[in-house]
Amino acid sequence: MARITASVYTSHVPAIGAALDLGKSHEPYWQKVFAGYEFSKQWMKDHKPDVIFLVFNDHATAFSLEMIPTFAIGTAASYAPADEGWGPRPVPGVQGHPALASHIAQSVIQDDFDLTIVNRMDVDHGLTVPLSLMCGAQDPKNGAWPCPVIPFAVNVVQYPVPSGRRCFALGQAIRRAVESFDEDLNVHIWGTGGMSHQLQGPRAGLINREWDNRFLDRLIDEPAELAQLPHIDYVRDAGSEGIELVMWLIARGAMADVATAHPGPKPQVAHRFYHVPASNTAVGHLILEN
Ligand code: DHB
Ligand code: FE
């Protein structure tokens, strides 16, 4: 049986990818960000997953205003880094896991969640920056990410966006799906995006440290209650792009303590990090182990 052994949460700032790709990661500004991921890179080596289920948002790169899936699961064998306007990031392509992805699609859709099935998709900074942060810089030609990745894209760009409540319940359904896959696989689920930030309008540059840290506390200790937070609260308190944080609730909903059948103990906090600033964003990062 496949099982979810850990969840990882991290911001996905595109400038972090640019800092890595342009050799700026040793500059003092970026050192303070990357320092928070030194533990995580070692942790990834010590807890190497067989598959990463990576919840992220596409930033009008693979999808556009012409077609906006609320939840989209990648069932392809591979995904290319997207061109976001400056050429694709020089990172390895992403290998998928079609067998597990198709199984999760089958299970979750039959469990009443309407997913869009995506057989071709380029992946933008929302997916590649978390991989770079957690796995370190990789040689684009001879390097490879440590394991296959199932990309799961959530619309948090164009309203209406899904509620935190729905995201949390979806995470619970993803856990049920993984646990009914008949192969011994160690699966990590990642929730990415956030934390507080706003990229446009009169409030551009908004950061809310107190709110972010309370969100991290509640994500660990009372995720089901946190999932009730209406989206207007994210936008008011964490900025218009702070809404990306609903994706963290998908990963948290897949942990053992909130399982709908045979719940387990609370997860252990293996690592917690918070830093301001990185570009226009507060960077938050958690690793929870089942
Ligand atoms: C920034 C942050 C994001 O989440 C994003 O998608 C684009 C830009 C930023 O901080 O600049
Ligand atoms: Fe973003």
Side-chain angles (χ1 to χ4, degrees):
M1 174 179 108
R3 68 226 175 278
I4 293 176
T5 57
S7 52
V8 171
Y9 309 82
T10 180
S11 308
H12 66 207
V13 197
I16 290 176
L20 275 172
D21 303 343
L22 301 173
K24 295 184 173 188
S25 52
H26 291 287
E27 292 180 0
Y29 179 94
W30 291 112
Q31 251 314 301
K32 296 192 187 86
V33 176
F34 290 116
Y37 292 83
E38 284 307 318
F39 173 93
S40 316
K41 286 187 280 184
Q42 187 58 46
W43 180 88
M44 277 297 284
K45 291 187 178 128
D46 297 341
H47 299 80
K48 192 174 162 311
D50 297 316
V51 186
I52 298 166
F53 188 93
L54 204 159
V55 181
F56 75 112
N57 69 292
D58 177 73
H59 299 76
T61 311
F63 308 124
S64 70
L65 291 181
E66 290 177 3
M67 200 186 300
I68 307 163
T70 302
F71 297 118
I73 187 164
T75 43
S78 63
Y79 306 88
D83 186 340
E84 300 181 52
W86 293 270
R89 283 192 64 208
V91 292
V94 177
Q95 296 308 305
H97 198 301
L100 179 60
S102 316
H103 170 81
I104 293 173
Q106 160 79 19
S107 172
V108 168
I109 290 170
Q110 290 300 315
D111 216 351
D112 301 341
F113 287 88
D114 307 317
L115 306 186
T116 300
I117 293 160
V118 181
N119 289 313
R120 209 197 86 81
M121 172 167 65
D122 291 347
V123 286
D124 72 10
H125 68 271
L127 185 132
T128 62
V129 166
L131 280 177
S132 294
L133 281 168
M134 293 298 294
C135 309
Q138 307 290 328
D139 181 329
K141 289 208 173 67
N142 302 313
W145 302 113
C147 69
V149 174
I150 298 175
F152 190 91
V154 179
N155 169 40
V156 287
V157 169
Q158 174 62 47
Y159 282 85
V161 300
S163 68
R165 187 174 55 244
R166 182 130 183 95
C167 288
F168 187 71
L170 174 59
Q172 292 173 310
I174 290 166
R175 181 181 184 82
R176 291 192 290 272
V178 168
E179 292 196 330
S180 62
F181 188 66
D182 198 13
E183 191 183 325
D184 252 334
L185 291 177
N186 174 11
V187 180
H188 288 181
I189 183 164
W190 293 12
T192 66
M195 296 197 83
S196 59
H197 62 305
Q198 170 143 351
L199 301 177
Q200 72 265 300
R203 299 200 311 162
L206 179 146
I207 299 282
N208 189 340
R209 291 169 191 259
E210 290 71 29
W211 192 93
D212 285 338
N213 279 287
R214 177 110 177 92
F215 184 91
L216 293 172
D217 292 342
R218 296 188 72 197
L219 189 76
I220 296 165
D221 292 327
E222 45 174 49
E225 292 79 4
L226 178 61
Q228 302 302 320
L229 201 68
H231 71 254
I232 191 69
D233 285 30
Y234 289 85
V235 175
R236 187 193 302 113
D237 294 328
S240 52
E241 277 65 51
I243 191 63
E244 290 180 342
L245 285 166
V246 293
M247 296 186 289
W248 294 31
L249 288 162
I250 298 179
R252 186 64 181 87
M255 295 303 278
D257 60 328
V258 293
T260 48
H262 316 298
K266 269 194 64 174
Q268 302 275 344
V269 182
H271 185 50
R272 177 172 173 163
F273 174 67
Y274 183 77
H275 175 75
V276 177
S279 189
N280 304 294
T281 306
V283 169
H285 174 36
L286 271 181
I287 299 177
L288 301 184
E289 293 173 359
N290 263 341

